[in-house]
Every structure is written in structure tokens, then in C-alpha cells.
């Protein structure tokens, strides 16, 4: 199975390495490209969207889980 | 001009001829209907068609401008994809409801006046509810009941607002609504309910995962997006919508983190995605409104595809919980690949459709220098990739193998997904195809700039990094999440408890009083009047009683207990009331 080779074991590791390299490459490109339409001050900061993407992801997970545990999550038979 | 045929009416009328076809002819007929509707939409030139005068009011069935046409275009496309995917559905009623539902959505898009809008609005609600009922489980029946109650409320709000507005302006034309006052507020609430804007939005994640596998495809396309259309038409530039839209975008993301049901997770992401459109309507610039229409267009395709993917898992395995699935990509490879195309599209990966539509909305916020709107919508966009692009496929198709037996679904279902997937890629690679249809022609938006691609790639890659680090925390948990439907799901029993404990006690007291005081006095008087009574009154009373009994026998026939009969009754009643109103006014 082709998909298996890509997604599992060595293939998976390779995909992850590609992702790490891509992160570095895009940050480097971001440093050397000039922003044409700077709407906000952060558009000028190289790598801002990397940081913002990562923080967004962590904030979403942590905050949502906290709201869920403290308030929203109920047992599956809650409405029965 | 007179030769125009309403594409929506073709679908609705076509639904009634369904029982005359059998076997393969039925399948051909089913596929032909949305194709005919699509061709009719293509042939619709700008203009006004099917204008009638009823009680001195102008009723416009066909107001075809660019905005109406792009929505009719995508609605008829979605109808074709849904029919193709659901070709194996056995019940004629299911097909008929789907066709009427799709036709009514097209009817909403072409409606030139509020009366036409209301009629199609109600048709949408009362046809779509069957797509839940045909699931034929007890939970689905309950959910369908709540669904129709909420949508009946939406219809009543809309109608109330329209009548009030008619009282003020003597006009029922469906044009931008002047905001302020009760009339505009009621119409807005009617629209917001159907757009699933919190706190009115809980019906969506309640109902969609309860619908049939095919039904959910149709539902994900029409109700919220026709409401977005109505908002673009009526409330462009209303500031309130910016805040509601941004809130929606985040609200859907938070619930998606907590969700274990695969189709409910997708349902929460409809709310999140419609949030972008609602916010864009609020921003109200030409770029933003073009963005809202473009995003609705792209969204219908990729969300349909995602629902088809998860629906296929449910159809083939009978399971729809993250905690019960995992590792099935080996057994459903084609479904997995097609699903991922939809996932990349919703996550706005470059070269997929979401990228060219969502970025219009975010750019519109940038142009207006709305920094919080921009940041929060970008944050929500990371959340979209996190859930639909990473978490959902990881814990269903990949991850630890659950050992669940599965294989790819039948050909027609794969074809339905294939059509949607091709369109997602086509729009992403050749955005001009979509941009040429947008309402405002003076906007020239370029999605593929260096800045933009680099920026999006960073957001996506680092969201993946966050996912990878937190992967252990993200598996499905066997819980349900309380939403605003709590008020009518838990509130109902509270009301019943009040009725039993408080109202019943008073009732007991009153009947006790009646027994001791009134009855005794009554007996005394009764004895005295017995002679007169038995002679004269009895005769009259018996006659009256007999006729009442006869009448109630007749009335009982109407009490069928079938929701669709009551629904039809309500609809007929509403139409009669509307007519009366216009006769008197």
C-alpha cells in the first residue's frame, strides 16, 4: 500500500523532517521579503505569523479544554 | 424575459413526479433534475422575472442580479453533488425532501420580495426536517422536533418583522433593511437563527449529526448559506455582525476541541466558518461582501466534501465517535485522500479553495485596519486547521488502529466526493473562475502574493507543530458539551416540574374547594330543580351534547399526531393569515 509508506514509520519521519525544514525556509523567506501591504505593525515583524500560528494553536487547545472541563463537558447521557 | 423558468420551482415540482419513476430511470431522473436547474441558473440573465400582483402587492419570484445568481449557481451545484452521493437512498420521501429543500434555497436566492422569501424560508425548514426524521432513531426524532421548533421561531420572527415593516413603509420589497426599530430587529433575528449565530445557533450541531448520512450533506449546504445570502442582501455594513461573526468563528473552534462525534465536530466548524461570512457582512465593504459570497461558495463545496467523507465512515462502519475510530485509512484510502482535499480547502492551504475565499475576508478586515478582528479571525483559522485538517483525520483515519472493519463506500458516493474535491482544487488553482461570478465587479483581488503565501504557510506549519506537541491531549473524550440548546432541552423538564408541582397543587386545591363548597350547594339546588331539569333542560342538553360529540369526532381526524400534518397545517394557516392581513390592510 502506497499510503502506508508515506504515512507510517520512515515515511512519517521524513514528512516531519520536511515540515521542520519548511518552517525554517518560510521564516527565512519572511525575513528577506518586503511586505507590500502593511496593514498593521506586526506585518513588518519577520516570522510573526509563525509565532502567532503556534500561540493560537496552544491557546485554543488549553483554553477550550479548560472551559470544557470546568463548565461545558457533561456525561454522554446528560440529556437522556 | 417571459420564457424564464424558475430553477428552484423545477426542483420542487420535480420532486412530486418522483413516484412515477422506477429503478434506473429514477436514478437518471434524480440526477437530471439538478442538472436542468443548473442549466436554467446559467441561462438566467440579469433582470426581474415572474412578477405577479397579489392583493395589490408585487410578488417577485425572480430577481436575478449577480448576488442572487452566484448563490443559485452554487445551490444547484450542491444539489447535484448531494443527489449523486445519496443515489442509493431508498425512500422516495427522502429524495423528495432533499429536492424541495434545495429548490427552496434557490427560491430564497431569487426572492425579490419578503413574502416570497418567507414562503421559501418555511419550505426549507419543513422539507429539511425530514432529512433528520429519515434517520429513524429515537434520538433523531427528538432532535428533529427541536429543529423544527427553532426554525418555526425563525419563520415567525421574520414574518413578524416583515409585517411591522410593511405597516411602516407599505413595502415588502427585499432590499437593504434600515436598521433600528423592532421590525428590522425581528427580521435580523430570523436571519441570525438560520445562520446559526450564537446564542441562536445550537440547533445546528444538535440536528446535523442526527440527520441521515446523505441528509447532512444537503443541510450543510443550504440553511446557513441562504441566511448568509439574506444577511448580505439586507444587513450589509451592520457593525453588530462583525462582533457576532468573530465570536461565532471562535465559538465553533472551542466546541470543536471538546467534541467526540465526528459529524458534530464538522457542524461546529460550519458555525466557525459562517462566522467569517457574518463578520464580512458586518464589515460591509465591497471586498468584504465579495469575500462573504466567495467564502459561502467555497464553503458549500468543501464542507459538503467533509460531511461526505465522515458520512462515508458512518455509512460503512456504523460508528461516528472519535473514541471508537482510528487507523482506518488503510481500508478506506480513497475516502481518506478525498477527505484530506476538503480538509486542506477548509484550512485555506494554498492551491485549495478556502485559501482564495477566506483571505478576501481577512484582507477586508486588514484594509479597514480592524486589528482585533484580523487577529481573532486568524486565530480561528489556526483552529480550523487544527481540528478539521489534523485532529479529525488523525483520530479517525490515522492514529492507533481501532480494528474497525471498513472499506471505501460505493462508487456513486466516491463520485459525489470526487466532484466536490475536483471543484475545491479547481477553484483554488484558478480563482478567477469564482471571482468572475462575485457581486461587485470593480474589485480585483489577487490571493497569490508572496507575502500572503508565506504568511499562510507559517500559520499552518506552526499550528501543526502545536498539534504534534499536544497530540496526547487531543483524542476524543466520551462526553457531550452543553450548548445554548440546554435552555430548551433542560428547560423543558424544568417547566414540566413547575407544572407538576406548582400548578397541580393549585389545581388540587381548587378542585377540593369545588367538591366541598360548590358541589354541595349544587346538589341542593339540583334536587330542587330536578323536576324542571329532567323535563325540559335534559332534552336540550342531550341534543347539544350529541352534536358536540359528533363535532369532536370530526375534529379528532385532524389530531393525527404526525408532525408533518401539523407542519402543513401551520404553513397553510400562515398563508391564510397573510392573505387576510393583506385583504384588511
Amino acid at each position: 500500500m502506497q499510503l502506508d509508506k508515506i504515512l507510517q514509520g520512515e515515511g512519517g519521519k521524513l514528512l516531519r523532517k520536511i515540515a521542520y525544514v519548511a518552517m525554517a525556509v518560510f521564516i527565512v523567506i519572511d525575513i528577506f521579503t518586503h511586505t507590500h501591504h502593511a496593514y498593521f505593525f506586526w506585518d513588518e515583524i519577520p516570522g510573526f505569523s509563525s509565532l502567532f500560528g503556534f500561540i493560537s494553536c496552544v491557546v485554543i487547545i488549553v483554553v477550550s479544554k479548560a472551559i470544557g472541563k470546568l463548565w461545558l463537558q457533561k456525561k454522554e447521557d446528560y440529556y437522556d | 424575459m417571459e420564457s424564464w423558468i424558475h430553477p428552484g420551482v423545477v426542483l420542487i415540482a420535480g420532486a412530486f413526479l418522483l413516484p412515477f419513476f422506477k429503478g434506473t430511470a429514477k436514478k437518471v431522473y434524480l440526477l437530471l433534475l439538478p442538472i436542468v436547474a443548473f442549466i436554467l441558473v446559467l441561462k438566467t440573465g440579469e433582470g426581474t422575472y415572474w412578477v405577479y400582483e397579489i392583493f395589490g402587492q408585487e410578488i417577485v419570484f425572480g430577481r436575478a442580479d449577480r448576488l442572487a445568481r452566484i448563490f443559485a449557481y452554487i445551490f444547484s451545484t450542491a444539489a447535484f453533488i448531494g443527489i449523486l452521493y445519496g443515489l442509493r437512498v431508498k425512500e422516495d420521501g427522502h429524495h423528495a425532501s432533499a429536492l424541495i429543500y434545495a429548490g427552496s434555497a434557490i427560491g430564497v436566492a431569487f426572492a425579490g420580495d419578503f413574502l416570497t422569501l418567507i414562503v421559501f424560508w418555511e419550505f426549507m425548514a419543513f422539507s429539511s426536517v425530514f432529512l433528520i426524521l429519515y434517520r429513524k432513531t429515537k434520538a433523531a426524532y427528538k432532535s428533529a422536533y427541536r429543529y423544527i421548533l427553532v426554525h418555526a421561531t425563525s419563520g415567525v420572527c421574520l414574518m413578524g418583522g416583515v409585517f411591522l415593516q410593511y405597516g411602516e413603509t407599505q413595502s415588502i420589497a427585499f432590499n437593504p433593511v434600515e436598521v433600528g426599530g423592532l421590525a428590522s430587529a425581528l427580521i435580523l433575528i430570523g436571519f441570525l437563527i438560520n445562520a446559526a449565530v450564537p446564542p441562536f445557533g445550537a440547533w445546528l450541531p444538535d440536528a446535523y449529526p442526527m440527520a441521515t448520512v446523505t441528509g447532512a450533506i444537503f443541510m450543510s449546504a443550504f440553511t446557513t448559506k441562504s441566511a448568509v445570502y439574506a444577511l448580505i442582501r439586507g444587513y450589509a455594513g451592520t457593525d453588530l455582525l462583525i462582533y457576532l461573526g468573530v465570536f461565532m468563528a471562535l465559538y465553533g473552534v472551542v466546541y470543536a476541541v471538546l467534541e467526540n462525534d465526528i459529524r458534530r465536530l464538522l457542524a461546529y466548524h460550519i458555525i466557525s466558518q459562517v462566522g467569517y461570512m457574518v463578520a464580512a457582512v458586518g464589515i460591509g465593504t465591497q471586498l468584504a461582501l465579495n469575500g462573504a459570497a466567495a467564502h459561502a461558495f467555497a464553503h458549500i463545496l468543501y464542507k459538503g466534501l467533509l460531511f461526505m467523507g465522515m458520512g462515508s465512515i458512518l455509512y460503512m462502519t456504523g460508528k461516528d465517535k472519535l473514541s471508537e475510530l482510528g487507523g482506518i485509512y488503510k481500508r478506506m484510502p480513497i475516502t481518506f485522500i478525498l477527505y484530506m482535499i476538503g480538509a486542506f480547502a477548509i484550512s485555506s492551504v494554498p492551491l485549495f479553495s478556502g485559501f482564495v475565499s477566506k483571505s478576501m475576508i481577512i484582507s477586508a478586515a486588514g484594509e479597514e485596519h480592524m486589528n482585533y478582528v484580523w487577529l481573532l479571525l486568524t486565530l480561528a483559522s489556526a483552529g480550523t486547521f487544527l481540528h478539521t485538517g489534523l485532529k479529525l483525520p488523525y483520530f479517525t483515519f490515522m492514529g492507533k488502529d481501532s480494528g474497525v472493519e471498513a472499506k471505501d463506500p460505493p462508487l456513486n458516493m466516491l463520485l459525489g466526493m470526487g466532484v466536490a474535491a475536483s471543484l475545491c482544487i479547481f477553484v483554488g488553482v484558478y480563482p478567477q473562475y469564482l471571482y468572475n461570478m462575485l457581486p461587485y465587479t470593480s474589485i480585483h483581488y489577487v490571493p497569490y502574493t508572496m507575502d500572503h503565501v508565506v504568511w499562510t504557510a507559517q500559520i499552518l506549519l506552526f499550528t501543526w507543530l502545536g498539534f504534534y506537541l499536544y497530540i496526547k491531549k487531543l483524542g476524543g473524550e466520551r462526553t457531550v458539551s452543553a450548548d445554548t440548546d440546554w435552555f430548551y432541552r433542560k428547560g423543558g423538564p424544568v417547566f414540566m416540574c413547575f407544572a407538576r408541582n406548582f400548578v397541580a397543587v393549585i389545581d388540587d386545591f381548587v378542585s377540593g374547594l369545588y367538591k366541598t363548597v360548590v358541589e354541595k350547594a349544587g346538589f341542593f339546588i339540583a334536587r330542587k330543580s330536578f323536576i324542571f331539569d329532567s323535563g325540559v333542560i335534559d332534552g336540550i342538553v342531550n341534543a347539544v351534547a350529541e352534536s358536540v360529540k359528533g363535532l369532536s369526532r370530526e375534529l379528532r381526524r385532524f389530531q393525527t399526531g404526525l408532525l408533518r400534518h401539523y407542519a402543513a397545517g401551520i404553513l397553510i394557516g400562515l398563508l391564510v393569515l397573510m392573505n387576510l392581513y393583506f385583504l384588511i390592510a
Side-chain angles (χ1 to χ4, degrees):
Chain A
M1 169 66 73
Q2 294 292 316
L3 268 178
D4 240 10
K5 283 183 192 153
I6 301 171
L7 296 171
Q8 300 287 334
E10 291 300 312
K13 273 184 196 150
L14 184 65
L15 273 184
R16 273 204 295 284
K17 275 181 196 154
I18 292 173
Y20 293 133
V21 172
M23 286 173 182
V25 168
F26 279 111
I27 292 177
V28 170
I29 297 176
D30 202 8
I31 293 169
F32 288 103
T33 48
H34 178 72
T35 306
H36 300 290
H37 304 284
Y39 297 130
F40 309 108
F41 69 86
W42 57 73
D43 287 339
E44 309 282 0
I45 306 172
F48 175 82
S49 55
S50 292
L51 184 70
F52 190 74
F54 183 72
I55 292 175
S56 298
C57 181
V58 174
V59 164
I60 287 167
I61 295 171
V62 173
V63 171
S64 309
K65 285 283 180 191
I67 296 174
K69 289 280 174 286
L70 294 175
W71 182 24
L72 298 175
Q73 279 179 305
K74 311 284 178 196
K75 289 206 179 75
E76 274 182 327
D77 58 359
Y78 181 66
Y79 284 118
D80 298 337
Chain B
M1 163 181 165
E2 292 307 314
S3 65
W4 187 70
I5 301 172
H6 195 305
V9 172
V10 168
L11 291 184
I12 296 171
F16 289 95
L17 298 177
L18 210 51
F20 296 106
F21 294 89
K22 292 266 179 293
T24 315
K26 175 175 284 180
K27 290 184 176 169
V28 173
Y29 176 71
L30 274 170
L31 286 171
L32 226 49
L33 277 175
I35 292 174
V36 169
F38 181 73
I39 293 170
L40 287 172
V41 172
L42 280 186
K43 287 181 67 177
T44 303
E46 274 183 56
T48 313
Y49 312 95
W50 283 24
V51 182
Y52 301 99
E53 201 171 285
I54 301 174
F55 306 124
Q57 280 303 318
E58 209 173 61
I59 305 290
V60 183
F61 279 92
R63 182 242 319 257
D65 53 9
R66 294 182 67 86
L67 179 60
R69 274 159 59 204
I70 184 174
F71 274 88
Y73 184 99
I74 190 61
F75 286 158
S76 49
T77 310
F80 174 76
I81 293 172
I83 291 281
L84 177 57
Y85 181 84
L87 217 49
R88 277 161 194 275
V89 170
K90 296 218 168 41
E91 299 96 338
D92 277 354
H94 189 292
H95 289 301
S97 338
L99 286 167
I100 295 170
Y101 183 33
S104 315
I106 295 174
V108 165
F110 280 128
D113 66 281
F114 273 115
L115 260 193
T116 316
L117 180 78
I118 290 170
V119 170
F120 283 120
W121 200 263
E122 298 285 351
F123 263 88
M124 277 177 68
F126 287 106
S127 52
S128 56
V129 71
F130 288 99
L131 301 176
I132 311 170
L133 289 171
Y134 272 112
R135 183 81 181 276
K136 295 177 183 166
T137 62
K138 206 176 166 197
Y141 292 146
K142 285 183 172 177
S143 179
Y145 189 66
R146 291 191 292 270
Y147 175 85
I148 201 65
L149 283 181
V150 171
H151 284 284
T153 311
S154 152
V156 169
C157 286
L158 179 57
M159 197 179 312
V162 168
F163 286 175
L164 282 177
Q165 198 193 42
Y166 176 76
E168 289 163 15
T169 63
Q170 307 298 310
S171 162
I172 56 163
F174 180 25
N175 288 325
V177 179
E178 201 175 312
V179 180
L182 184 60
S184 69
L186 281 173
I187 297 173
L188 182 60
I189 289 174
F191 290 170
L192 292 182
I193 291 176
N194 271 29
V197 178
F200 311 118
W203 60 266
L204 193 157
D206 178 12
Y208 287 13
M210 287 296 157
T212 63
V213 167
T214 305
I217 319 300
F218 287 96
M219 299 181 88
S220 76
F222 299 128
T223 303
T224 48
K225 261 60 72 185
S226 59
V228 167
Y229 163 80
L231 285 171
I232 297 177
R233 180 74 77 190
Y235 290 88
T238 307
D239 282 347
L240 173 70
L241 294 178
I242 303 177
Y243 309 115
L244 287 175
V246 171
F247 181 71
M248 267 175 99
L250 296 169
Y251 169 93
V253 165
V254 168
Y255 274 93
V257 177
L258 308 174
E259 196 48 62
N260 189 28
D261 183 308
I262 54 178
R263 292 197 299 165
R264 186 162 287 136
L265 193 156
L266 290 179
Y268 273 116
H269 264 291
I270 296 183
I271 296 188
S272 180
Q273 293 298 303
V274 172
Y276 286 86
M277 301 169 212
V278 171
V281 176
I283 295 170
T285 59
Q286 291 197 346
L287 176 61
L289 296 177
N290 267 2
H295 203 44
F297 187 100
H299 176 88
I300 285 174
L301 294 171
Y302 61 64
K303 196 50 117 184
L305 175 54
L306 296 171
F307 262 100
M308 286 190 271
M310 288 298 141
S312 298
I313 293 182
L314 173 62
Y315 184 75
M316 300 309 291
T317 68
K319 294 188 188 307
D320 59 0
K321 298 289 188 292
L322 282 179
S323 49
E324 297 167 359
L325 291 160
I328 56 173
Y329 78 94
K330 290 171 201 161
R331 279 151 279 167
M332 301 180 80
I334 305 174
T335 312
F336 172 60
I337 291 169
L338 292 170
Y339 173 88
M340 286 314 293
I341 292 173
F344 286 151
I346 193 176
S347 312
S348 73
V349 174
L351 300 180
F352 294 88
S353 60
F355 180 78
V356 306
S357 60
K358 194 196 279 178
S359 53
M360 292 181 93
I361 296 174
I362 296 188
S363 295
E367 275 192 357
E368 299 303 300
H369 297 283
M370 299 172 169
N371 44 5
Y372 290 110
V373 174
W374 191 94
L375 284 173
L376 291 172
L377 287 183
T378 304
L379 184 142
S381 157
T384 306
F385 181 48
L386 173 63
H387 295 109
T388 326
L390 296 169
K391 173 184 160 179
L392 193 53
Y394 184 83
F395 288 102
T396 51
F397 291 110
M398 299 176 64
K400 190 166 159 278
D401 197 327
S402 56
V404 171
E405 278 193 39
K407 57 179 191 206
D408 272 319
L411 183 65
N412 68 301
M413 295 171 88
L414 290 176
L415 280 176
M417 295 164 75
V419 172
S422 322
L423 286 170
C424 284
I425 295 175
F426 179 64
V427 170
V429 174
Y430 180 59
Q432 211 53 44
Y433 157 78
L434 169 58
Y435 292 171
N436 285 341
M437 283 188 275
L438 295 177
Y440 295 101
T441 48
S442 57
I443 300 290
H444 295 288
Y445 184 75
V446 184
Y448 290 108
T449 62
M450 187 71 167
D451 291 347
H452 198 169
V453 173
V454 171
W455 172 73
T456 309
Q458 290 183 66
I459 294 273
L460 293 173
L461 282 165
F462 279 84
T463 302
W464 168 79
L465 183 65
F467 169 75
Y468 186 65
L469 295 176
Y470 279 82
I471 204 160
K472 295 244 155 48
K473 301 260 176 223
L474 286 170
E477 297 178 82
R478 303 183 59 89
T479 58
V480 294
S481 304
D483 201 333
T484 48
D485 56 350
W486 184 89
F487 290 99
Y488 49 85
R489 295 179 76 171
K490 285 290 181 186
V494 169
F495 176 78
M496 288 307 292
C497 183
F498 169 79
R500 263 198 298 276
N501 294 330
F502 184 70
V503 180
V505 167
I506 294 184
D507 185 54
D508 275 355
F509 175 74
V510 173
S511 51
L513 200 70
Y514 180 83
K515 266 183 195 142
T516 48
V517 182
V518 183
E519 268 183 11
K520 277 186 181 154
F523 277 132
F524 176 73
I525 299 166
R527 271 196 295 277
K528 293 293 170 200
S529 57
F530 177 69
I531 300 154
F532 174 73
D533 189 53
S534 60
V536 184
I537 309 287
D538 265 11
I540 300 169
V541 168
N542 284 343
V544 172
E546 276 307 313
S547 56
V548 168
K549 263 163 76 182
L551 191 66
S552 53
R553 253 199 310 278
E554 291 305 312
L555 267 178
R556 207 172 52 199
R557 290 175 208 278
F558 292 102
Q559 304 266 356
T560 54
L562 287 176
L563 190 59
R564 64 168 181 277
H565 290 175
Y566 292 130
I570 292 168
L571 198 59
I572 293 165
L574 289 175
L575 289 173
V576 169
L577 278 177
M578 281 192 296
N579 289 337
L580 277 178
Y581 183 83
F582 284 108
L583 274 175
I584 296 162

